[in-house]
Amino acid sequence: MSDGITRKEMIEMNSTASAIKGVLDNLRMQLQMLDDEIKADEKSKAEFERHLNVLENRKSDILSRINANKEWSKNYDADIGPFANKYKEMTADIAAIYDRAKAGHTRGIKLLEKDFGYHPSFKRPQDTFTAIPFRPK
């Protein structure tokens, strides 16, 4: 070698250049992998943000419904309470009316037994009165 480089030095330079090329190729491959991972992470981040936005909208809707329900419940006693109390009074009145009707029915059956010979458990062939036995509960 005329340039002052010996064969041994040339082999060492080739070996070093090959090693440097291998390192560079390895670094390029790692850089490409990192770029791919970054792209995948950005895609995942965009999907996460989209899903987060959906959840935030849902949260906002739920909070507004909770507030509306709180307002409704504040006014419930004033708006619905009197009707609920009136319902209780009316059902108590209906129970009293029905109890009077049952007592009247019992008196009516006794009158039929006394004046017409009616027997509530069975009908005899000579009976002219046709009724189905019924006792209110």
Side-chain angles (χ1 to χ4, degrees):
M1 305 253 154
S2 61
D3 292 0
I5 299 177
T6 64
R7 182 170 167 75
K8 183 178 175 184
E9 290 174 336
M10 184 59 85
I11 292 173
E12 287 178 9
M13 282 187 357
N14 281 341
S15 175
T16 304
S18 293
I20 290 172
K21 182 181 181 307
V23 169
L24 287 176
D25 288 343
N26 188 22
L27 289 174
R28 272 193 203 105
M29 191 168 51
Q30 288 178 355
L31 183 61
Q32 183 61 43
M33 288 173 54
L34 287 174
D35 285 341
D36 292 343
E37 287 179 15
I38 289 171
K39 286 178 186 175
D41 287 347
E42 287 173 349
K43 184 178 178 183
S44 296
K45 180 183 173 198
E47 177 64 22
F48 178 79
E49 287 174 348
R50 186 196 63 77
H51 188 67
L52 182 62
N53 190 32
V54 168
L55 291 176
E56 286 175 350
N57 289 339
R58 184 171 176 218
K59 177 184 174 184
S60 175
D61 291 343
I62 290 171
L63 289 175
S64 66
R65 285 179 44 207
I66 286 172
N67 291 333
N69 288 340
K70 283 180 182 178
E71 280 299 314
W72 181 85
S73 67
K74 284 180 188 176
N75 298 324
Y76 176 82
D77 287 334
D79 295 344
I80 305 296
F83 293 110
N85 292 337
K86 188 69 175 172
Y87 175 79
K88 289 177 185 174
E89 291 172 17
M90 291 175 69
T91 53
D93 291 345
I94 290 171
I97 292 169
Y98 190 70
D99 288 340
R100 285 195 303 270
K102 286 194 310 187
H105 182 270
T106 302
R107 286 193 310 272
I109 294 293
K110 287 182 183 175
L111 177 73
L112 290 173
E113 289 172 353
K114 178 181 162 196
D115 292 346
F116 296 98
Y118 172 71
H119 194 284
S121 297
F122 61 91
K123 181 180 175 189
R124 296 171 295 215
Q126 70 270 18
D127 288 342
T128 57
F129 188 79
T130 57
I132 298 171
F134 171 75
R135 179 175 204 121
K137 295 179 182 178

